[in-house]
Amino acid sequence: MKRVPLAILLVVATIAAWYFTRGPKQPETGTRVPFEVISADLAGQFSGEKAYSQVKALVEIGPRPPESDGYEEALVLLEKEFASQGWETQRQTFTKADTVVGAKSFTNLLARHSAGERDWNRSTPVVIGGHLDSKLIDSFKFVGANDGGSSTGVILELARVMATRPADAAKVEFVLFDGEEAFLPDITPADGLYGSKYYAYAISNRATWPSLGIVIDLVGDSRHGFYYNPEAPPSFATTVEKVAAETGLQLKRPPGPIIDDHVPLQNTGLPCLHLIGDFMNMPYWHQPGDTMEVIDAKALEQAGRATLKFLAEVKP
Ligand SMILES: [Zn+2]
């Protein structure tokens, strides 16, 4: 057997270490698509009742963990809903060989309005995301009405409202992430956020990059208040606090950073707003009680209107 010189071994080890620890690459100057605010009157058109119907239709499918029949059914439902409002969709499917439970296949769903950028290798100014999967729990039937369902319903209603103004709809790409939930009990660096991590790498390989990201999660219950990310840029914090007060959304500061689908996006340098219900005080979080019983149309409406007002006022 030939001996490999130590110097070569060290170079290989260094490259391997770099490969496994690097984050997504950062954009070059001038490659971000500039953001201009959307029309201020769109917020008033967002209907909590319509968003509620969307959440209900999704929850009626049942559990929607990665690779499940329910997840596939949810994809088909969303493709139909987006298409009926003039949005084109793209499935972003990938397999991760080394999840904590072995190889798993995931599918993010991306949507763009037909009036906007048609080349998927180029970005829109804004990305709005939420997760479509529900947590895989073997011991009971978990349908994730608030955890997964609520943000998806709000996104579908945002798509309906924005489509009434194609010039504004053209500024946005929606993305429904798969695999937000961990297979093991908690999200860790090795488990969970599978779809958003993949999406972050995918946008970092495009010819142009977005300028602003919004991620929403658990936005269907107004009884517990909402957090936004403490790491958001100061202009985002000022704007979200203003629009929350105007829409009745009860905002509070989280006890610390919350790990969710916005984190991989932020790691690409994308300024993000993350809006999430206070799951730590929801007794039904990851429990059988996360059903339509806990969803109120008012919360969905507040979250949807706050998102639209934010996009009408923020200066990134
Ligand atoms: Zn969850």
Side-chain angles (χ1 to χ4, degrees):
M1 190 182 127
K2 260 168 80 175
R3 292 188 62 182
V4 182
L6 182 63
I8 292 175
L9 276 179
L10 282 175
V11 169
V12 170
T14 306
I15 291 171
W18 168 80
Y19 179 82
F20 287 110
T21 56
R22 73 190 168 139
K25 65 183 181 190
Q26 307 288 309
E28 288 166 25
T29 314
T31 52
R32 290 201 188 277
V33 186
F35 168 71
E36 288 165 29
V37 292
I38 65 165
S39 310
D41 60 348
L42 284 174
Q45 295 181 41
F46 188 100
S47 159
E49 291 297 333
K50 286 196 165 79
Y52 183 94
S53 301
Q54 298 286 11
V55 181
K56 188 163 176 281
L58 193 67
V59 168
E60 278 167 2
I61 292 173
R64 308 170 301 282
E67 294 184 331
S68 66
D69 291 346
Y71 193 81
E72 172 63 27
E73 207 179 312
L75 285 174
V76 172
L77 175 73
L78 263 76
E79 286 166 337
K80 186 170 93 23
E81 289 297 320
F82 275 121
S84 73
Q85 305 293 347
W87 296 77
E88 293 176 11
T89 52
Q90 189 184 65
R91 290 189 183 201
Q92 187 177 65
T93 299
F94 62 98
T95 299
K96 185 161 170 54
D98 58 349
T99 81
V100 292
V101 290
K104 285 279 176 185
S105 168
F106 302 92
T107 301
N108 296 327
L109 188 70
L110 285 53
R112 287 185 184 184
H113 195 265
S114 51
E117 175 63 64
R118 308 299 283 271
D119 180 356
W120 290 91
N121 187 39
R122 305 179 72 81
S123 290
T124 57
V126 179
V127 169
I128 301 178
H131 73 92
L132 180 59
D133 64 309
S134 62
K135 188 168 177 66
L136 175 65
I137 300 176
D138 289 330
S139 51
F140 56 85
K141 182 184 173 189
F142 180 72
V143 297
N146 200 7
D147 196 356
S150 62
S151 48
T152 303
V154 166
I155 282 173
L156 286 173
E157 174 61 2
L158 287 173
R160 184 193 70 79
V161 171
M162 296 200 80
T164 64
R165 204 68 66 84
D168 287 330
K171 296 169 184 168
V172 172
E173 174 173 306
F174 291 111
V175 53
L176 282 309
F177 299 116
D178 193 1
E180 185 264 357
E181 300 286 6
F183 292 106
L184 301 179
D186 297 309
I187 293 177
T188 62
D191 192 16
L193 311 184
Y194 294 101
S196 52
K197 283 181 179 174
Y198 185 85
Y199 179 79
Y201 272 99
I203 57 170
S204 73
N205 284 314
R206 288 180 182 170
T208 60
W209 294 47
S211 297
L212 189 161
I214 300 177
V215 170
I216 54 174
D217 198 4
L218 292 137
V219 290
D221 181 351
S222 58
R223 295 170 298 175
H224 305 285
F226 294 81
Y227 293 128
Y228 71 93
N229 47 333
E231 66 277 17
S235 64
F236 285 27
T238 310
T239 308
V240 76
E241 287 185 12
K242 176 177 179 290
V243 301
E246 290 167 358
T247 51
L249 193 80
Q250 297 294 317
L251 261 197
K252 48 188 185 178
R253 288 270 182 177
I258 291 171
I259 307 298
D260 202 353
D261 286 322
H262 64 298
V263 172
L265 300 181
Q266 285 182 164
N267 287 346
T268 69
L270 183 68
C272 285
L273 172 69
H274 177 232
L275 203 57
I276 184 167
D278 178 6
F279 58 97
M280 289 171 268
N281 280 307
M282 293 172 184
Y284 56 81
W285 181 60
H286 291 175
Q287 296 299 321
D290 188 359
T291 64
M292 287 309 288
E293 309 293 305
V294 304
I295 304 295
D296 63 85
K298 186 178 82 175
L300 301 170
E301 189 162 289
Q302 289 171 340
R305 291 187 175 190
T307 300
L308 290 166
K309 272 178 169 279
F310 179 83
L311 287 174
E313 296 186 24
V314 71
K315 293 175 184 67

